[in-house]
């Protein structure tokens, strides 16, 4: 079915573009991974781009769902554009994904700069593409031609020479990017030797093709491929055709290795640091400027994107600890990811990594705070950190399942809103030959209960049954502070009110955290219980745990209490009763 084209850039166009870009990257993901020969043999550029786009699309969808829930019509362009940029920033993976996040951020800064209508036409799109290319180049410490940066600049140049509506400008940008992509082997020797085009640039062409489809209802038929002689060319009719009649044709290089490396904008083709370090960072501009200088001296492939206090940092180093420490000195790093490229040989000789034996069974859990992440990790689980307002995408859960490296995996989403995301991740993992059981835990305290009875030595089905039973027997509650006036099951709350939610529904509206928590706990224990679990957030009063422990000890015989520190978990307090 052909896409109904948008006529100008508004919130719906942002939503449509994100969805089409995600679909295009999904189709091209394996192809992009396969042609990824610069500079490290990790073959994940296509996957990284897909995960970044998935996070952006999910953030935009959340904005639309919030407006639908409040019957407030569609969101403003600024809301959707900012959500797209923020989602890409927090979900950016690898060098290529980090650069894509900055490209989207650069576009959002122009499209939403002066209100709903200021930059929504073809002229605005020209400005947005130019600013995106320039800001992405500035984010890379040492730009190299023949990479995604070259393709982005060519797209902006071509768009700048076009006159007309958004469809005309998008088409020009796509054609400029397509031509620049075909020329990348002549700019980077490593691409020419492999006979492939740049992987990150190939991904950007897919994203720009989705932009054409957004504004014309048509998808470009022609895609960059590799000739039999190993020289990149563009195949197919350069005209456009309806998306009902055509699809992007996945292609691979005849000589590309199966584990070809992810593109990096500024690292050497041979040799290089042993670790990739990525983290989100809360810091001011001055601290980030100092951080750039320090990380530039520690390694290569340095890309720092973001702004307004939140940054995504990517660097290749030999001393991963020093890279993280630099982030600690600059501000508050989190979602820290350190990847070892493997014994140094993938940087030097191209030798394959020795295979690692799979474990029989593992647990993968989504957790809302650093404190719980440590607790789950100590119990043997592979964790995915979900920051407040930043739920993980399905691709992130799939990646965690792969990282667990087990034949059998128990997946704990620990959030009712992640049910469908976790189900999609489980289904994807099953197609890769991994046996996955999804336990529909709706709170981290239910996950704790499930993990407490986990026995890897049991048969898989028996283990899953016992974990499911323990989670289901655990009632859960949370105490949080209302952000806005809202209707609830307990009446109307005002911004700043303390809310007590039991099993997902607001049951108590109060003004004091300790008093509200006690009321919630009493209601939960009125139905009986043997163990109370308290998980304190950073915002919880110091005395609340002691007060609740005393309350349980004095009023409920034979009921034990255990207390954990959850860190920045969103809720002030999580409560579980088993």
């Amino acid at each position: 079915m052909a896409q109904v084209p948008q006529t100008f850039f508004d919130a719906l166009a942002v939503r449509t573009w994100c969805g089409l870009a995600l679909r295009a990257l999904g189709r091209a993901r394996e192809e992009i991974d396969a042609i990824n020969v610069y500079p490290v043999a990790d073959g994940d550029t296509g996957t990284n781009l897909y995960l970044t786009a998935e996070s952006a699309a999910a953030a935009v969808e959340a904005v639309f769902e919030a407006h639908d829930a409040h019957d407030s019509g569609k969101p403003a362009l600024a809301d959707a554009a900012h959500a797209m940029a923020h989602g890409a920033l927090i979900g950016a993976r690898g060098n290529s994904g980090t650069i894509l996040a900055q490209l989207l951020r650069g576009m959002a800064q122009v499209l939403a700069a002066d209100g709903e209508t200021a930059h929504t036409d073809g002229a605005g799109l020209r400005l947005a593409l130019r600013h995106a290319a320039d800001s992405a180049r500035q984010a890379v410490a040492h730009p190299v031609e023949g990479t995604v940066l070259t393709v982005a600049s060519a797209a902006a140049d071509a768009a700048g020479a076009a006159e007309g509506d958004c469809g005309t400008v998008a088409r020009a940008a796509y054609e400029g990017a397509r031509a620049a992509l075909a020329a990348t082997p002549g700019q980077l020797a490593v691409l020419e030797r492999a006979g492939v085009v740049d992987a990150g640039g190939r991904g950007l062409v897919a994203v720009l093709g989705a932009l054409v489809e957004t504004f014309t209802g048509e998808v470009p038929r022609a895609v960059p491929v590799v000739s039999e002689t190993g020289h990149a060319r563009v195949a197919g009719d350069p005209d456009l055709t309806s998306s009902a009649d055509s699809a992007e044709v996945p292609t691979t290089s005849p000589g590309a290795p199966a584990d070809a490396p992810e593109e990096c904008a500024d690292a050497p083709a041979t040799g290089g640091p042993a670790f990739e370090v990525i983290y989100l960072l809360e810091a001011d501009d001055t601290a980030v400027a100092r951080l750039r200088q320090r990380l530039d001296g520690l390694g290569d492939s340095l890309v720092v994107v973001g702004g307004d206090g939140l940054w995504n940092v990517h660097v290749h180093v030999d001393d991963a600890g020093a890279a993280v420490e630099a982030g600690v000195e600059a501000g508050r790093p989190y979602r820290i990811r350190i990847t070892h490229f493997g014994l140094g040989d993938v940087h030097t000789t191209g030798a394959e990594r020795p295979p690692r034996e799979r474990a029989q069974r593992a647990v993968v859990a989504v957790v809302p705070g650093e404190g719980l992440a440590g607790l789950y990790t100590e119990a043997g689980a592979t964790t995915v950190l979900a920051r407040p307002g930043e739920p993980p995408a399905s691709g992130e859960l799939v990646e965690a399942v792969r990282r667990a490296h087990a034949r059998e995996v128990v997946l704990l989403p620990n959030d009712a809103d992640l049910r469908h995301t976790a189900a999609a991740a489980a289904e994807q993992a099953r197609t890769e030959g991994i046996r996955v059981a999804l336990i529909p835990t709706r709170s981290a305290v239910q996950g704790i209960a499930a993990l407490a009875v986990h026995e890897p030595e049991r048969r898989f089905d028996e283990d899953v049954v016992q974990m499911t039973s323990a989670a289901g027997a655990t009632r859960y509650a949370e105490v949080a502070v209302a952000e806005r006036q809202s209707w609830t099951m307990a009446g109307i709350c005002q911004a700043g009110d303390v809310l007590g939610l039991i099993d997902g529904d607001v049951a108590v509206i109060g003004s004091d955290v300790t008093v509200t928590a006690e009321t919630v706990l009493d209601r939960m224990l009125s139905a009986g219980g043997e163990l109370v679990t308290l998980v304190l957030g950073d915002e919880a009063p110091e005395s609340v745990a002691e007060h609740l422990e005393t309350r349980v000890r004095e009023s409920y015989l034979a009921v034990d209490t255990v207390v954990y520190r959850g860190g920045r978990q969103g809720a002030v307090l999580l409560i579980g009763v088993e």
Side-chain angles (χ1 to χ4, degrees), residues 102-103 132-141 143-145 149-151 153:
Q102 187 68 3
L103 288 167
D134 292 345
S135 61
R137 189 170 287 268
Q138 291 166 7
V140 177
V144 169
E145 298 308 324
L149 299 176
T150 303
V151 176
S153 294

Side-chain angles (χ1 to χ4, degrees), residues 71-157:
D71 295 323
S72 54
K74 73 174 183 179
L77 171 60
D79 294 335
H82 289 154
M84 173 185 70
H86 181 74
L89 177 67
I90 64 173
R93 296 305 180 88
N95 195 44
S96 51
T98 307
I99 292 174
L100 176 61
Q102 187 68 3
L103 288 167
L104 296 179
R105 177 179 172 82
M107 291 194 70
Q109 287 174 329
V110 172
L111 293 172
D114 298 316
E116 177 70 21
T117 60
H119 296 299
T120 61
D121 57 5
L125 181 54
R126 289 198 301 269
L127 290 173
L129 289 167
R130 179 78 272 161
H131 184 63
D134 292 345
S135 61
R137 189 170 287 268
Q138 291 166 7
V140 177
H142 303 288
V144 169
E145 298 308 324
T147 66
V148 63
L149 299 176
T150 303
V151 176
S153 294
D157 291 342

Side-chain angles (χ1 to χ4, degrees), residues 21 23-36 45-46 49 96 146-149 151-152 174 177-178 180-182 184 191 196-210 219-226 233-234 247-252 263:
R23 188 175 72 181
L25 288 170
R27 290 197 301 262
R29 179 180 63 81
E30 292 184 1
E31 169 202 345
I32 296 171
D33 283 344
I35 65 172
N36 181 191
T45 286
L49 289 168
S96 51
T147 66
V148 63
L149 299 176
V151 176
Y174 173 81
R178 189 170 65 95
L181 178 65
T184 55
L191 299 179
V196 297
V197 296
D198 176 67
R202 172 66 184 90
L204 180 58
V205 169
V207 173
L208 291 173
V219 61
R221 181 192 297 272
V223 295
V225 297
V226 177
R233 62 182 174 86
V234 175
E248 223 169 334
V249 181
T251 60
T252 58
E263 174 193 332

Side-chain angles (χ1 to χ4, degrees), residues 217-413:
E218 301 171 323
V219 61
R221 181 192 297 272
V223 295
V225 297
V226 177
S227 69
E228 293 180 359
T229 60
H231 295 292
R233 62 182 174 86
V234 175
D237 188 343
D239 293 336
L240 298 176
T241 184
S242 129
S243 61
D245 303 322
S246 72
E248 223 169 334
V249 181
T251 60
T252 58
S253 160
D259 60 346
E262 183 200 349
E263 174 193 332
C264 219
D266 62 346
T270 59
F275 296 96
E276 178 186 56
V277 178
I278 306 171
Y279 49 79
L280 291 177
L281 177 69
E282 294 175 354
D284 60 36
D285 292 2
T286 302
V288 169
R290 292 194 299 268
L291 176 66
R292 288 179 192 269
Q293 292 181 343
R294 180 168 179 188
L295 292 180
D296 195 23
L298 288 175
D300 58 36
S301 301
L302 174 60
V303 186
V304 181
V305 303
D308 302 321
L310 181 63
W311 309 82
N312 192 306
V313 179
H314 171 281
V315 67
H316 290 179
V317 292
D318 281 320
D319 190 343
V324 175
E325 288 173 8
V328 172
E329 292 177 6
R332 179 185 176 87
Y334 60 97
R335 283 199 181 180
I336 301 169
R337 300 177 54 81
I338 300 174
T339 303
H340 192 282
F341 290 125
L343 304 181
D345 51 6
V346 293
H347 271 290
T348 53
T349 66
E352 295 181 359
R353 300 182 183 92
R356 179 163 63 96
E357 182 66 24
R358 284 185 178 272
Q360 181 60 34
R361 189 174 309 158
V363 176
V364 173
V366 180
V367 290
E370 293 91 340
L372 282 178
L375 174 67
Y376 272 74
T377 301
E378 288 176 6
T382 298
T383 61
V384 178
L385 187 61
R387 302 278 294 182
E390 301 173 6
S394 63
E396 191 170 353
L397 299 187
V398 173
E399 189 176 274
V401 170
R402 294 172 182 148
R403 194 168 71 246
H405 203 62
R407 299 180 182 88
E408 302 167 339
V409 172
V410 180
L411 183 56
L412 306 175

Side-chain angles (χ1 to χ4, degrees), residues 405-489:
H405 203 62
R407 299 180 182 88
E408 302 167 339
V409 172
V410 180
L411 183 56
L412 306 175
N414 291 340
D415 187 336
D417 292 336
L418 288 178
R419 181 176 68 256
H420 298 303
T421 300
E427 187 62 32
Q428 173 61 37
R430 291 182 189 116
T431 67
E432 300 177 11
I434 304 171
R435 188 180 185 188
V436 181
L438 171 61
I439 297 179
T441 49
R442 294 173 289 177
S443 171
V445 292
Q446 288 189 321
I448 292 172
L451 200 56
V453 300
H454 169 53
E455 290 288 347
E457 293 77 17
R458 278 196 296 243
R459 287 195 309 110
F460 185 64
D461 291 339
E462 292 179 0
D463 197 27
V464 171
V465 167
Q466 291 299 320
M467 294 177 72
T468 302
S469 177
T474 303
R475 299 192 69 194
Y476 66 97
E478 68 177 75
V479 177
V481 178
E483 296 181 356
R484 64 182 66 88
Q485 184 186 61
S486 181
W487 290 88
T488 76
M489 296 290 290

